[in-house]
Amino acid sequence: MDAMVFIACALTAVLAVAMCVGFFLSSRSEVARMAMVVADPDSVWDLLANPRTHPTWRKDISRVLRKPDENGLPCWIEVGSLSRREIQVHSLRPPSRMAAELKNGIVPMHGALRIQVTPRGGGCQVSVWEEVEIKSPLCRFIVRFLVGRNSSAD
């Protein structure tokens, strides 16, 4: 019985520390990445714009669940080992720009995603920008120290 009380107290203390640390972390996080790709811009766009291909080249997600389109634009759920989030595209200009809303993950969050493909020389430049707001201090702690706030952009 004493061991159970000790374990309960230890878990409570760990959660309390995580909540306190998370309280001092910013609720907003912004990540921007740019990469030069030696490939045809249309081929790169096809990979980026087709969510079913994402598990083949993104290490942070294991599968994609397609949802019915909303307002004629794609919507899907990305599932990873430590994450799950819904993507709702609200602006699509093939073959160069996509803007989407991020929401309803395992972690209560809301955010925005922009992807741009720009032809450059013999390939293209891919730019990804993601901004997320996480209101829960505990979830901020988990994302910052356990999941990694840049994991989906990397």
PDB file of all heavy atoms in Angstrom, residues 116-137:
ATOM      1  N   GLN A 116       4.450  26.209 -50.359  1.00  0.00           N
ATOM      2  CA  GLN A 116       4.653  26.848 -51.658  1.00  0.00           C
ATOM      3  C   GLN A 116       5.761  26.125 -52.403  1.00  0.00           C
ATOM      4  O   GLN A 116       6.810  25.812 -51.822  1.00  0.00           O
ATOM      5  CB  GLN A 116       5.018  28.316 -51.488  1.00  0.00           C
ATOM      6  CG  GLN A 116       5.148  29.017 -52.812  1.00  0.00           C
ATOM      7  CD  GLN A 116       5.072  30.523 -52.680  1.00  0.00           C
ATOM      8  OE1 GLN A 116       4.603  31.047 -51.676  1.00  0.00           O
ATOM      9  NE2 GLN A 116       5.523  31.214 -53.705  1.00  0.00           N
ATOM     10  N   VAL A 117       5.524  25.851 -53.688  1.00  0.00           N
ATOM     11  CA  VAL A 117       6.506  25.233 -54.573  1.00  0.00           C
ATOM     12  C   VAL A 117       6.840  26.245 -55.662  1.00  0.00           C
ATOM     13  O   VAL A 117       5.953  26.690 -56.391  1.00  0.00           O
ATOM     14  CB  VAL A 117       5.962  23.924 -55.201  1.00  0.00           C
ATOM     15  CG1 VAL A 117       6.981  23.328 -56.160  1.00  0.00           C
ATOM     16  CG2 VAL A 117       5.592  22.926 -54.119  1.00  0.00           C
ATOM     17  N   THR A 118       8.119  26.633 -55.756  1.00  0.00           N
ATOM     18  CA  THR A 118       8.557  27.645 -56.713  1.00  0.00           C
ATOM     19  C   THR A 118       9.628  27.052 -57.620  1.00  0.00           C
ATOM     20  O   THR A 118      10.656  26.570 -57.113  1.00  0.00           O
ATOM     21  CB  THR A 118       9.149  28.861 -55.964  1.00  0.00           C
ATOM     22  OG1 THR A 118       8.219  29.309 -54.982  1.00  0.00           O
ATOM     23  CG2 THR A 118       9.469  29.988 -56.919  1.00  0.00           C
ATOM     24  N   PRO A 119       9.410  27.058 -58.948  1.00  0.00           N
ATOM     25  CA  PRO A 119      10.441  26.546 -59.862  1.00  0.00           C
ATOM     26  C   PRO A 119      11.749  27.331 -59.704  1.00  0.00           C
ATOM     27  O   PRO A 119      11.736  28.556 -59.589  1.00  0.00           O
ATOM     28  CB  PRO A 119       9.839  26.774 -61.252  1.00  0.00           C
ATOM     29  CG  PRO A 119       8.370  26.871 -61.019  1.00  0.00           C
ATOM     30  CD  PRO A 119       8.214  27.498 -59.666  1.00  0.00           C
ATOM     31  N   ARG A 120      12.865  26.611 -59.648  1.00  0.00           N
ATOM     32  CA  ARG A 120      14.199  27.218 -59.532  1.00  0.00           C
ATOM     33  C   ARG A 120      15.187  26.357 -60.318  1.00  0.00           C
ATOM     34  O   ARG A 120      15.395  25.198 -59.975  1.00  0.00           O
ATOM     35  CB  ARG A 120      14.670  27.261 -58.087  1.00  0.00           C
ATOM     36  CG  ARG A 120      13.881  28.148 -57.190  1.00  0.00           C
ATOM     37  CD  ARG A 120      14.503  29.553 -57.165  1.00  0.00           C
ATOM     38  NE  ARG A 120      13.942  30.342 -56.104  1.00  0.00           N
ATOM     39  CZ  ARG A 120      12.919  31.186 -56.251  1.00  0.00           C
ATOM     40  NH1 ARG A 120      12.354  31.328 -57.423  1.00  0.00           N
ATOM     41  NH2 ARG A 120      12.473  31.869 -55.235  1.00  0.00           N
ATOM     42  N   GLY A 121      15.796  26.921 -61.342  1.00  0.00           N
ATOM     43  CA  GLY A 121      16.819  26.210 -62.113  1.00  0.00           C
ATOM     44  C   GLY A 121      16.324  24.866 -62.595  1.00  0.00           C
ATOM     45  O   GLY A 121      15.296  24.759 -63.241  1.00  0.00           O
ATOM     46  N   GLY A 122      17.034  23.793 -62.237  1.00  0.00           N
ATOM     47  CA  GLY A 122      16.663  22.450 -62.662  1.00  0.00           C
ATOM     48  C   GLY A 122      15.750  21.742 -61.686  1.00  0.00           C
ATOM     49  O   GLY A 122      15.585  20.538 -61.754  1.00  0.00           O
ATOM     50  N   GLY A 123      15.151  22.483 -60.764  1.00  0.00           N
ATOM     51  CA  GLY A 123      14.281  21.860 -59.772  1.00  0.00           C
ATOM     52  C   GLY A 123      13.293  22.863 -59.204  1.00  0.00           C
ATOM     53  O   GLY A 123      12.702  23.640 -59.942  1.00  0.00           O
ATOM     54  N   CYS A 124      13.145  22.862 -57.883  1.00  0.00           N
ATOM     55  CA  CYS A 124      12.210  23.791 -57.264  1.00  0.00           C
ATOM     56  C   CYS A 124      12.577  24.044 -55.803  1.00  0.00           C
ATOM     57  O   CYS A 124      13.327  23.284 -55.196  1.00  0.00           O
ATOM     58  CB  CYS A 124      10.776  23.267 -57.367  1.00  0.00           C
ATOM     59  SG  CYS A 124      10.528  21.669 -56.577  1.00  0.00           S
ATOM     60  N   GLN A 125      12.043  25.118 -55.295  1.00  0.00           N
ATOM     61  CA  GLN A 125      12.185  25.452 -53.883  1.00  0.00           C
ATOM     62  C   GLN A 125      10.855  25.148 -53.210  1.00  0.00           C
ATOM     63  O   GLN A 125       9.806  25.575 -53.672  1.00  0.00           O
ATOM     64  CB  GLN A 125      12.507  26.930 -53.724  1.00  0.00           C
ATOM     65  CG  GLN A 125      12.540  27.397 -52.289  1.00  0.00           C
ATOM     66  CD  GLN A 125      12.823  28.883 -52.210  1.00  0.00           C
ATOM     67  OE1 GLN A 125      13.759  29.372 -52.818  1.00  0.00           O
ATOM     68  NE2 GLN A 125      11.998  29.597 -51.461  1.00  0.00           N
ATOM     69  N   VAL A 126      10.898  24.370 -52.122  1.00  0.00           N
ATOM     70  CA  VAL A 126       9.696  24.042 -51.364  1.00  0.00           C
ATOM     71  C   VAL A 126       9.778  24.788 -50.038  1.00  0.00           C
ATOM     72  O   VAL A 126      10.752  24.633 -49.291  1.00  0.00           O
ATOM     73  CB  VAL A 126       9.569  22.523 -51.113  1.00  0.00           C
ATOM     74  CG1 VAL A 126       8.332  22.220 -50.282  1.00  0.00           C
ATOM     75  CG2 VAL A 126       9.531  21.770 -52.432  1.00  0.00           C
ATOM     76  N   SER A 127       8.768  25.599 -49.763  1.00  0.00           N
ATOM     77  CA  SER A 127       8.712  26.347 -48.509  1.00  0.00           C
ATOM     78  C   SER A 127       7.498  25.883 -47.723  1.00  0.00           C
ATOM     79  O   SER A 127       6.399  25.779 -48.267  1.00  0.00           O
ATOM     80  CB  SER A 127       8.591  27.842 -48.778  1.00  0.00           C
ATOM     81  OG  SER A 127       9.687  28.296 -49.541  1.00  0.00           O
ATOM     82  N   VAL A 128       7.712  25.592 -46.433  1.00  0.00           N
ATOM     83  CA  VAL A 128       6.635  25.154 -45.547  1.00  0.00           C
ATOM     84  C   VAL A 128       6.640  26.070 -44.332  1.00  0.00           C
ATOM     85  O   VAL A 128       7.689  26.299 -43.722  1.00  0.00           O
ATOM     86  CB  VAL A 128       6.830  23.688 -45.089  1.00  0.00           C
ATOM     87  CG1 VAL A 128       5.734  23.273 -44.118  1.00  0.00           C
ATOM     88  CG2 VAL A 128       6.884  22.752 -46.272  1.00  0.00           C
ATOM     89  N   TRP A 129       5.478  26.596 -43.994  1.00  0.00           N
ATOM     90  CA  TRP A 129       5.315  27.456 -42.831  1.00  0.00           C
ATOM     91  C   TRP A 129       4.153  26.914 -42.011  1.00  0.00           C
ATOM     92  O   TRP A 129       3.096  26.613 -42.556  1.00  0.00           O
ATOM     93  CB  TRP A 129       5.035  28.880 -43.265  1.00  0.00           C
ATOM     94  CG  TRP A 129       4.724  29.815 -42.151  1.00  0.00           C
ATOM     95  CD1 TRP A 129       5.612  30.466 -41.358  1.00  0.00           C
ATOM     96  CD2 TRP A 129       3.425  30.204 -41.709  1.00  0.00           C
ATOM     97  NE1 TRP A 129       4.941  31.245 -40.442  1.00  0.00           N
ATOM     98  CE2 TRP A 129       3.589  31.098 -40.634  1.00  0.00           C
ATOM     99  CE3 TRP A 129       2.129  29.884 -42.112  1.00  0.00           C
ATOM    100  CZ2 TRP A 129       2.522  31.665 -39.963  1.00  0.00           C
ATOM    101  CZ3 TRP A 129       1.069  30.458 -41.436  1.00  0.00           C
ATOM    102  CH2 TRP A 129       1.271  31.333 -40.382  1.00  0.00           C
ATOM    103  N   GLU A 130       4.375  26.764 -40.714  1.00  0.00           N
ATOM    104  CA  GLU A 130       3.339  26.224 -39.837  1.00  0.00           C
ATOM    105  C   GLU A 130       3.299  27.050 -38.560  1.00  0.00           C
ATOM    106  O   GLU A 130       4.328  27.295 -37.940  1.00  0.00           O
ATOM    107  CB  GLU A 130       3.673  24.766 -39.527  1.00  0.00           C
ATOM    108  CG  GLU A 130       2.636  24.044 -38.723  1.00  0.00           C
ATOM    109  CD  GLU A 130       2.983  22.573 -38.542  1.00  0.00           C
ATOM    110  OE1 GLU A 130       3.005  21.849 -39.551  1.00  0.00           O
ATOM    111  OE2 GLU A 130       3.240  22.171 -37.401  1.00  0.00           O
ATOM    112  N   GLU A 131       2.110  27.478 -38.197  1.00  0.00           N
ATOM    113  CA  GLU A 131       1.914  28.205 -36.942  1.00  0.00           C
ATOM    114  C   GLU A 131       0.840  27.476 -36.151  1.00  0.00           C
ATOM    115  O   GLU A 131      -0.205  27.129 -36.688  1.00  0.00           O
ATOM    116  CB  GLU A 131       1.468  29.637 -37.203  1.00  0.00           C
ATOM    117  CG  GLU A 131       1.286  30.434 -35.934  1.00  0.00           C
ATOM    118  CD  GLU A 131       0.839  31.858 -36.184  1.00  0.00           C
ATOM    119  OE1 GLU A 131       0.438  32.174 -37.313  1.00  0.00           O
ATOM    120  OE2 GLU A 131       0.868  32.648 -35.239  1.00  0.00           O
ATOM    121  N   VAL A 132       1.140  27.204 -34.869  1.00  0.00           N
ATOM    122  CA  VAL A 132       0.223  26.432 -34.036  1.00  0.00           C
ATOM    123  C   VAL A 132       0.043  27.131 -32.699  1.00  0.00           C
ATOM    124  O   VAL A 132       0.984  27.699 -32.153  1.00  0.00           O
ATOM    125  CB  VAL A 132       0.778  25.001 -33.811  1.00  0.00           C
ATOM    126  CG1 VAL A 132      -0.093  24.224 -32.853  1.00  0.00           C
ATOM    127  CG2 VAL A 132       0.906  24.261 -35.130  1.00  0.00           C
ATOM    128  N   GLU A 133      -1.177  27.066 -32.165  1.00  0.00           N
ATOM    129  CA  GLU A 133      -1.459  27.558 -30.824  1.00  0.00           C
ATOM    130  C   GLU A 133      -1.963  26.389 -29.985  1.00  0.00           C
ATOM    131  O   GLU A 133      -2.907  25.703 -30.362  1.00  0.00           O
ATOM    132  CB  GLU A 133      -2.499  28.667 -30.838  1.00  0.00           C
ATOM    133  CG  GLU A 133      -2.785  29.202 -29.454  1.00  0.00           C
ATOM    134  CD  GLU A 133      -3.734  30.381 -29.439  1.00  0.00           C
ATOM    135  OE1 GLU A 133      -4.461  30.581 -30.424  1.00  0.00           O
ATOM    136  OE2 GLU A 133      -3.754  31.087 -28.427  1.00  0.00           O
ATOM    137  N   ILE A 134      -1.305  26.176 -28.843  1.00  0.00           N
ATOM    138  CA  ILE A 134      -1.685  25.109 -27.915  1.00  0.00           C
ATOM    139  C   ILE A 134      -2.022  25.773 -26.590  1.00  0.00           C
ATOM    140  O   ILE A 134      -1.158  26.370 -25.954  1.00  0.00           O
ATOM    141  CB  ILE A 134      -0.542  24.092 -27.724  1.00  0.00           C
ATOM    142  CG1 ILE A 134      -0.147  23.494 -29.073  1.00  0.00           C
ATOM    143  CG2 ILE A 134      -0.946  23.011 -26.741  1.00  0.00           C
ATOM    144  CD1 ILE A 134       1.092  22.627 -29.025  1.00  0.00           C
ATOM    145  N   LYS A 135      -3.274  25.679 -26.180  1.00  0.00           N
ATOM    146  CA  LYS A 135      -3.716  26.384 -24.975  1.00  0.00           C
ATOM    147  C   LYS A 135      -3.374  25.660 -23.680  1.00  0.00           C
ATOM    148  O   LYS A 135      -3.102  26.286 -22.679  1.00  0.00           O
ATOM    149  CB  LYS A 135      -5.209  26.659 -25.059  1.00  0.00           C
ATOM    150  CG  LYS A 135      -5.519  27.609 -26.187  1.00  0.00           C
ATOM    151  CD  LYS A 135      -6.889  28.183 -26.132  1.00  0.00           C
ATOM    152  CE  LYS A 135      -7.028  29.145 -27.298  1.00  0.00           C
ATOM    153  NZ  LYS A 135      -8.155  29.971 -27.225  1.00  0.00           N
ATOM    154  N   SER A 136      -3.367  24.351 -23.664  1.00  0.00           N
ATOM    155  CA  SER A 136      -3.117  23.580 -22.444  1.00  0.00           C
ATOM    156  C   SER A 136      -1.633  23.609 -22.072  1.00  0.00           C
ATOM    157  O   SER A 136      -0.779  23.193 -22.865  1.00  0.00           O
ATOM    158  CB  SER A 136      -3.557  22.127 -22.644  1.00  0.00           C
ATOM    159  OG  SER A 136      -2.995  21.300 -21.652  1.00  0.00           O
ATOM    160  N   PRO A 137      -1.289  24.065 -20.851  1.00  0.00           N
ATOM    161  CA  PRO A 137       0.116  24.054 -20.428  1.00  0.00           C
ATOM    162  C   PRO A 137       0.734  22.653 -20.431  1.00  0.00           C
ATOM    163  O   PRO A 137       1.891  22.496 -20.811  1.00  0.00           O
ATOM    164  CB  PRO A 137       0.077  24.625 -19.008  1.00  0.00           C
ATOM    165  CG  PRO A 137      -1.187  25.411 -18.944  1.00  0.00           C
ATOM    166  CD  PRO A 137      -2.152  24.703 -19.854  1.00  0.00           C
TER     167      PRO A 137
END
